[in-house]
Amino acid sequence: KMLIKTFLLAILVTATRSQCLSENDVSQVLNKNAITSLYKSQHNFSIALLDAINKSTWEENIFFSPYSTYHALLLAYFGAKNRTEEGLKKILNLEWADSKSIVLQAYKIEMLTRSYRGQNSLKFSAANKLFFAPKVNVRNCMMELFSDELQTLDFEKDPEAARLTINSWVQSATRNSIKDILAPGFLSAQTTAFMANAAYFKGSFASNFDRRNTRIGIFYPATNRRISVAMMSQKGTFNYTVSDDLGAHVLQIPYEGNDISLIILLPPFVSTAMNELISKLTPETLQLTLDSVRPTEVEVMMPKFRLKNKYELLPFLEFIKVGDLFYSRANLEGFSTTAKIQLDSALHQAYIEVDESGGEPQENENSSEAKTKFHCNHPFLFLIYDHQSKAILFIGIYRGFTPEIAMQPKVPAQEDRIEPIEPDKCGTLHPLGTLTGLVAGGETIARGTWPWLVAVYGYTGLTLSFRCGASIISKRLVLTAAHCFYYKNGNRLRVRDTVIIAGKYSLRRLDEEGAKIVYPDNLFIHPDYRFHNPDADIAVVVTPESLEFSKFIRPICLWNTSEPEDVTNRQGIAAGWGMDEEGNVFSDLPRRVSVPVVSNFVCRNSGQQYQLAITERTMCVGWRNGTTGVCQGDSGGGLAFKINGQWVLRGLVSTSPTANQGGSCNLNDYTIFTDISKFLDWIQSHNPS
């Protein structure tokens, strides 16, 4: 009785305050179909966001909570007006709702139900909150309606204290699993609003994987690659089917309580299978598949893994047409009519552990070999699915390459013994090269993981100093930015004063094994280039003789006309010796960072400084999160994408916006890259061969 009274009280309170959302809202009788409609809307949103993230992270593990992200955007929707409201209503698939009050009813019921169900052994939490500066003066009725989701925080008085407050809240909401979601300096005194979004899940399987059966196994990230992982296994009765609608084998592994399951969709082992699976995944095909599963004796083998993925959602939300929510023209007057509110970014971090923990192993009287084998030894899509509410809590794609999966230290270069690589094959690592997983935070890379990266030096008098990065594209050609060969006063660096070092790793070391010092034979700067103008910021350096390729010196593939022209919303990898976190102009060791490409339209509208700088021959790249991106010293370095197992060069770092004359980076702005696909004929015209 107590639960029922509390539940009814919550609904009545919601109804009496519904007029706060819009002038036309009125108290309405509870719509029984609203919850079902809301979950179907979440499904559509989940699949659309997965498609956007997958297209920009081709060969990386993916893991996020569409449930948490959807509810965070719902908060913004409740306070949005006019075009901003229309854009959010479309992306959240809320066309079924006649008014915001109906959506609010479904939202409140969902939140209340989730809080009651969260008391069991399943550890699921979704942390969503909007933080507003005091000067925003949030309307009292909104603070009452969303007392758990809205909070006032004084960014102007002490942005660092505000950062620590948000980090502490996220850490508490995710049971200490997600710490320091915001890096130092992320917030500023000018911040008026910030959306925090994090999710955590740790559940125990109803039937566990016996740790004694976990073995080192082979996982194939691609048809020509393999890695060693900790492979769990068990034989038991699970809901299983082969879905013709999805073109995949489907397995349900329930967690304790059986309300929530890990659902694995295993497509065929071909390069296009994952994209085809996502294209077929809809709320209807998913439900048909789940309805068709049957108890089956299955031998299950799957990797043990732990994922903690962090995303700046803005590029992905723009890809699925979020509207103007993150622009200065956004209308969020539902929260406040006295202050202008702008959301600059939306960070999302999700964490999951999949290991052997759970209940007792299933007892099988028949010890014979199971007829159905479900071996996850190649990339698979997985869901954390709530059967009771029919909600996708989490969704991900496992492709390997995570440092958490190994049961024992990784054997160096163990995957490189699989298949010989031609000595001059572009965009690949040498068979003896050291491999590491990609990072998306500007961390140091191991030597040999980016062997086409070249250091460009120049003489000023008798002083030799580092100037830029560059990329080897053939035995005698090195590609970089034209501005690397100009002094600050506009004078041009002469060819005889230029030195390039292939295989360079540490800028502090004069002698490095495997490095090659080269004095260029010629230097070609594009005839359209003008000093301090990013258009046609490209140069070709010709070496006097062919480079000898090794594990530290290798070429990257050059983009060609057969590759997709549009890479908007996809993430590429940039590398260089740019400014480090300590403020040094150059870092000693090179770093790689994953950065998204945004449309020129978005870039031009992000600031006046981009109006004339962006042309059809440039690209706009960056997170605009204040912490991750390219900086001074990265100039001339490449933006690469991995296509069919080979790294392909598409862009060159041209202009890295600065916050002041001292040259410190402003990573809250986009970076302009030269689009080399527009200069392919010019590049080839200088190839000595």
Side-chain angles (χ1 to χ4, degrees), residues 469-546:
S471 300
I472 301 170
I473 58 173
S474 72
K475 287 184 178 293
R476 292 192 60 192
L477 291 188
V478 174
L479 202 61
T480 187
H483 76 264
C484 295
F485 302 99
Y486 284 82
Y487 296 104
K488 291 182 179 179
N489 60 8
N491 292 334
R492 182 170 162 178
L493 182 70
R494 296 175 297 185
V495 177
R496 68 183 186 184
D497 291 331
T498 302
V499 178
I500 64 172
I501 304 181
K504 188 65 176 169
Y505 186 59
S506 171
L507 292 184
R508 294 180 180 177
R509 293 191 59 180
L510 297 179
D511 57 332
E512 287 183 302
E513 180 184 359
K516 174 70 173 179
I517 299 175
V518 178
Y519 297 93
D521 186 51
N522 214 332
L523 167 64
F524 298 97
I525 291 177
H526 197 279
D528 292 344
Y529 176 71
R530 299 294 180 267
F531 186 52
H532 279 325
N533 189 325
D535 187 54
D537 189 3
I538 185 171
V540 172
V541 179
V542 183
T543 64
E545 57 186 25
S546 296

Side-chain angles (χ1 to χ4, degrees), residues 38-39 41-51 53 62-74 91-92 124 126 128 197-200 281 286 311 313 317 320 348-350 381-385 391-396:
L38 187 65
Y39 281 122
S41 298
Q42 288 180 26
H43 279 206
N44 282 305
F45 173 82
S46 303
I47 296 165
L49 188 56
L50 171 66
D51 183 51
I53 295 176
I62 295 173
F63 183 68
F64 67 99
S65 172
Y67 176 93
S68 175
T69 304
Y70 187 88
H71 283 74
L73 291 175
L74 268 182
I91 194 178
L92 296 174
F124 168 68
N128 298 294
N197 175 231
Y200 165 81
L281 190 61
L286 178 61
Y311 300 99
L313 292 175
L317 295 176
I320 58 177
H348 175 81
Q349 187 161 340
L381 189 150
F382 65 96
L383 315 172
I384 305 296
Y385 186 80
I392 299 174
L393 304 181
F394 294 89
I395 193 166

Side-chain angles (χ1 to χ4, degrees), residues 356-640:
E356 301 94 340
S357 61
E360 292 299 317
Q362 293 193 32
E363 294 184 6
N364 295 284
E365 294 181 2
N366 184 0
S367 59
S368 61
E369 185 175 347
K371 293 182 179 180
T372 302
K373 300 182 185 297
F374 193 88
H375 292 180
C376 298
N377 62 356
H378 60 272
F380 56 87
L381 189 150
F382 65 96
L383 315 172
I384 305 296
Y385 186 80
D386 187 337
H387 297 278
Q388 183 171 323
S389 61
K390 299 188 185 307
I392 299 174
L393 304 181
F394 294 89
I395 193 166
I397 297 175
Y398 181 79
R399 294 185 170 107
F401 300 122
T402 169
E404 314 287 354
I405 59 176
M407 292 181 62
Q408 51 186 284
K410 183 179 177 181
V411 179
Q414 45 83 28
E415 70 169 80
D416 295 322
R417 294 191 290 269
I418 305 304
E419 180 182 2
I421 299 177
E422 296 90 335
D424 58 350
K425 187 175 182 180
C426 67
T428 58
L429 303 180
H430 188 276
L432 297 181
T434 303
L435 299 177
T436 61
L438 298 182
V439 294
E443 296 180 5
T444 302
I445 59 177
R447 192 175 185 205
T449 57
W450 216 240
W452 34 83
L453 181 62
V454 168
V456 178
Y457 288 76
Y459 276 103
T460 303
L462 297 177
T463 303
L464 182 67
S465 57
F466 172 77
R467 298 190 64 83
C468 282
S471 300
I472 301 170
I473 58 173
S474 72
K475 287 184 178 293
R476 292 192 60 192
L477 291 188
V478 174
L479 202 61
T480 187
H483 76 264
C484 295
F485 302 99
Y486 284 82
Y487 296 104
K488 291 182 179 179
N489 60 8
N491 292 334
R492 182 170 162 178
L493 182 70
R494 296 175 297 185
V495 177
R496 68 183 186 184
D497 291 331
T498 302
V499 178
I500 64 172
I501 304 181
K504 188 65 176 169
Y505 186 59
S506 171
L507 292 184
R508 294 180 180 177
R509 293 191 59 180
L510 297 179
D511 57 332
E512 287 183 302
E513 180 184 359
K516 174 70 173 179
I517 299 175
V518 178
Y519 297 93
D521 186 51
N522 214 332
L523 167 64
F524 298 97
I525 291 177
H526 197 279
D528 292 344
Y529 176 71
R530 299 294 180 267
F531 186 52
H532 279 325
N533 189 325
D535 187 54
D537 189 3
I538 185 171
V540 172
V541 179
V542 183
T543 64
E545 57 186 25
S546 296
L547 293 171
E548 183 178 344
F549 294 152
S550 67
K551 61 182 177 181
F552 301 132
I553 302 175
R554 296 182 68 76
I556 189 170
C557 300
L558 194 63
W559 202 271
N560 61 64
T561 54
S562 66
E563 308 296 354
E565 182 178 357
D566 187 11
V567 291
T568 302
N569 297 309
R570 295 188 173 182
Q571 289 184 40
I573 302 297
W577 290 273
M579 181 182 292
D580 63 19
E581 69 279 356
E582 297 177 355
N584 299 311
V585 177
F586 305 122
S587 59
D588 175 37
L589 304 178
R591 299 180 173 196
R592 282 191 299 188
V593 63
S594 177
V595 284
V597 178
V598 301
S599 68
N600 283 349
F601 174 81
V602 169
C603 194
R604 288 193 184 100
N605 284 277
S606 68
Q608 187 175 0
Q609 67 271 33
Y610 295 98
Q611 294 293 329
L612 297 177
I614 298 300
T615 73
E616 63 177 11
R617 299 192 291 188
T618 62
M619 303 167 62
C620 223
V621 175
W623 293 107
R624 296 178 70 206
N625 61 6
T627 60
T628 305
V630 298
C631 203
Q632 279 70 31
D634 292 321
S635 287
L639 180 70

Side-chain angles (χ1 to χ4, degrees), residues 271-323:
S271 59
T272 60
M274 187 59 70
N275 290 337
E276 291 174 0
L277 170 59
I278 295 174
S279 69
K280 296 175 181 177
L281 190 61
T282 66
E284 291 74 24
T285 56
L286 178 61
Q287 192 58 52
L288 284 172
T289 299
L290 295 181
D291 290 342
S292 68
V293 297
R294 295 292 182 267
T296 307
E297 188 177 347
V298 183
E299 178 185 279
V300 182
M301 291 181 62
M302 63 176 297
K304 171 182 176 179
F305 61 90
R306 180 186 303 141
L307 299 178
K308 183 184 289 187
N309 288 30
K310 185 175 182 180
Y311 300 99
E312 167 54 70
L313 292 175
L314 178 55
F316 309 126
L317 295 176
E318 287 180 339
F319 181 81
I320 58 177
K321 297 179 171 50
V322 71

Side-chain angles (χ1 to χ4, degrees), residues 17-23 25 78-81 100-101 104 139 141-142 145-146 334:
R17 293 175 182 163
S18 61
Q19 294 88 346
C20 181
L21 300 178
S22 69
E23 295 178 358
D25 277 345
F78 289 133
K81 300 287 186 181
K100 283 186 178 179
S101 61
L104 180 63
R139 298 165 64 201
C141 65
M142 293 296 280
L145 269 178
F146 303 103

